[in-house]
Amino acid sequence: MKLADKILAGNVLAAARLMTEIENGVPEAVAELETIYPHTGKAYIVGVTGPPGVGKSTLVDVLIGILRRENMTVGVLATDPTSPFTGGAILGDRVRMQKHSLDKDVFIRSLANRGWGGGLSKATMSMIHIMDAMSKDIILVETMGTGQAETDITRVADTSIVILSPGMGDEIQMMKAGILEAADILVINKADREGADNLQRQLEIMLEMKTYLPNEWQPSIVLTEAIYDKGTEELVAAILRHREFLISSGGLDKRRKQRAKLELAEATESSLKDYIYQQISKDDYFEKLVDDLVQRKTNPHSAASKIINQFKPVIGQGGKQSKSR
Ligand SMILES: Nc1nc2c(ncn2[C@@H]2O[C@H](COP(=O)(O)OP(=O)(O)O)[C@@H](O)[C@H]2O)c(=O)[nH]1
Ligand SMILES: [Mg+2]
């Protein structure tokens, strides 16, 4: 049996193996993902983003417990870009979440920093798809997040939680980076610490400055103390409220379309890249473009436009045809 079939039959080890293959860039893994894809789209994806040390992993750990009590199955994708080389923090996350490791309805996976760069990598999306195909109701994705790229988890998750904690001075930086703009729920964790009120006021002022349309979601602010399991039920309630809102407003479809768009663009990019690499050594047309580049008769951008322009009439026609049908 192929790995994908085993995964669809509920084999957890097969899922772990396929994830490792994806991380290592094993080419056969792509075919497995093709088998899996039709079985995805059911899971609800929650992005948990914030600067290092604010308590993302601690909070995720508590959330797992609450969601399980509500009888939801949970997938967790944890990354810690703060220690990309030693893997120390990743191991830490794993140890912390180990109490859930005997629960067959919880699947936790740590992803090394490779290919992540603060944003959402192809590998990340693939891991999410696998957990989705494993019938996880909720998938929690812990990332640092930059808020700058449309590939950031905060832009493609169904619900985006941005976590801050008092006295870190990060909130200003995060505002600059636009990460707060992407938040559906703002969490002030470590509310047991001094400065939580102040941070709450700052965030409230920031939210008040924005104008919301009548049918637009207004981000909520939730105070939590992850290590004391305080405010965490409220956080889960806020997530579920946002989910209800997205479903009833049609926003969920919009977000999923955005995610599909991103995946299509990324897949096209990598296929096109592979194709061009293959052709460059066998095709006179590409050979000439490369020579022109070397001799500085053209530049990479213009050369790329030339290639894309070749595709345009074909793609454009396809679009027109399907519309008229
Ligand atoms: N005082 C306090 N410390 C917390 C709270 N939540 C987490 N921490 C601590 O903050 C540190 C960083 O937590 P961690 O979950 O690893 O943060 P992450 O880097 O965002 O994943 C750990 O030592 C936690 O025990 C909280 O609510 N209050
Ligand atoms: Mg962490």
Side-chain angles (χ1 to χ4, degrees), residues 24-46:
N24 295 335
V26 176
E28 289 77 23
V30 175
E32 304 276 2
L33 284 171
E34 283 172 11
T35 309
I36 276 175
Y37 196 78
H39 303 272
T40 62
K42 286 164 283 185
Y44 194 80
I45 301 169
V46 178

Side-chain angles (χ1 to χ4, degrees), residues 132-144:
D132 193 342
M134 292 167 81
S135 299
K136 295 296 171 253
D137 296 321
I138 303 251
I139 300 172
L140 303 167
V141 185
E142 177 189 335
T143 74
M144 193 176 80

